Amino acid sequence: MAHKIAIIVGSLRKDSLNRKVARSICGLRGDNLDCSMIEIGDLPLYNQDLDANPPEQWTRFRQQVAAADGVLFCSPEYNRGIPGVLKNAIDVGSRPYGQSVFDKKPAAIVTASPGAIGGFGSNHQIRQACVFLNMPMMQQPEAYLGHVTDDSFDESGCLKEGPLKDLVTVLAHAFHDWVEMIHRSRQLLAEDAAHAAQGAKEHA
Ligand SMILES: Cc1cc2nc3c(=O)[nH]c(=O)nc-3n(C[C@H](O)[C@H](O)[C@H](O)COP(=O)(O)O)c2cc1C
């Protein structure tokens, strides 16, 4: 079954490596991950004063995330942490209080960097925010993609054959299965609850 996936890229750079990784993932699982890139560069900085009358960009972003079955974060690391533009998007989506569009959405995180440790610090800061926001986070495979450069991609911007593409392929399959499992489990639980309620009614 195809799942709608909102991809949020934590880099605004035109030639972003993380955006290329995100595109490669969409290409790898085009059959059952229906991916949309959700733009975050135009989101005004989060300000609680604006909650009563939110900017249209916030509303657009919230609607796009709300419509998805799962969220995939592909992000660089900035100064050993989460890029500000991505943190702002997470904050925007998480509010107003009690109306977070991230609530219960299954998610996964990929961080890519030319550096050796593949954005480990950023990856875990994103994870921390998402766990707080009640998002079931895929645990494995972890994706700290190190030594990623322009040369990791072909002319069409997709990952070249090799260990990096192999890891990303495993991740794309695992993410599909993760989203499927979360939604299917909820559906079965809802069916069980409805069945139990019907049984209780009949015995009353
Ligand atoms: C402000 C800034 C801070 C950075 N800090 C880190 C860092 O902490 N760790 C790291 O691996 N790379 C760091 N980099 C390098 C980025 O990994 C590199 O620019 C990468 O290409 C950015 O991702 P993108 O290609 O998706 O835009 C930093 C780059 C910038 C612009």
Side-chain angles (χ1 to χ4, degrees):
M1 177 180 171
H3 292 291
K4 287 185 70 166
I5 303 302
I7 299 192
I8 302 179
V9 176
S11 169
L12 305 183
R13 202 165 74 85
K14 181 169 54 70
D15 296 321
S16 161
L17 301 168
N18 284 276
R19 186 171 289 265
K20 287 185 197 168
V21 169
R23 281 209 202 97
S24 297
I25 293 172
C26 300
L28 288 168
R29 295 302 288 168
D31 51 342
N32 55 17
L33 288 183
D34 175 8
C35 299
S36 307
M37 301 266 186
I38 310 296
E39 296 307 325
I40 61 173
D42 63 340
L43 297 176
L45 288 178
Y46 181 72
N47 176 347
Q48 202 172 349
D49 292 341
L50 305 182
D51 271 350
N53 189 16
E56 61 182 5
Q57 298 93 329
W58 290 8
T59 304
R60 185 266 308 158
F61 175 76
R62 289 167 176 163
Q63 286 171 346
Q64 287 175 317
V65 176
D69 300 316
V71 181
L72 178 64
F73 294 94
C74 293
S75 181
E77 175 176 85
Y78 278 1
N79 302 314
R80 291 286 179 262
I82 182 170
V85 68
L86 176 56
K87 184 60 166 58
N88 183 55
I90 292 174
D91 293 342
V92 166
S94 73
R95 291 280 161 154
Y97 182 76
Q99 297 174 44
S100 167
V101 291
F102 293 116
D103 188 47
K104 297 192 175 83
K105 297 257 187 236
I109 304 165
V110 176
T111 47
S113 167
I117 60 174
F120 179 90
S122 171
N123 195 303
H124 281 271
Q125 286 190 357
I126 299 167
R127 183 172 298 272
Q128 183 176 348
C130 292
V131 168
F132 173 70
L133 291 172
N134 199 29
M135 303 177 82
M137 303 304 293
M138 187 170 82
Q139 289 99 10
Q140 295 290 342
E142 294 174 297
Y144 317 114
L145 309 182
H147 305 295
V148 180
T149 65
D150 288 331
D151 198 40
S152 308
F153 304 89
D154 62 24
E155 313 78 61
S156 66
C158 289
L159 280 166
K160 290 178 182 168
E161 297 300 326
L164 183 58
K165 183 172 178 183
D166 293 345
L167 171 61
V168 169
T169 304
V170 171
L171 179 131
H173 281 80
F175 187 47
H176 168 268
D177 293 350
W178 179 247
V179 175
E180 174 83 12
M181 185 185 78
I182 298 291
H183 286 284
R184 185 83 186 113
S185 311
R186 284 189 193 138
Q187 193 184 338
L188 290 172
L189 285 170
E191 285 169 15
D192 276 358
H195 189 70
Q198 183 64 29
K201 216 162 134 189
E202 284 165 10
H203 286 96

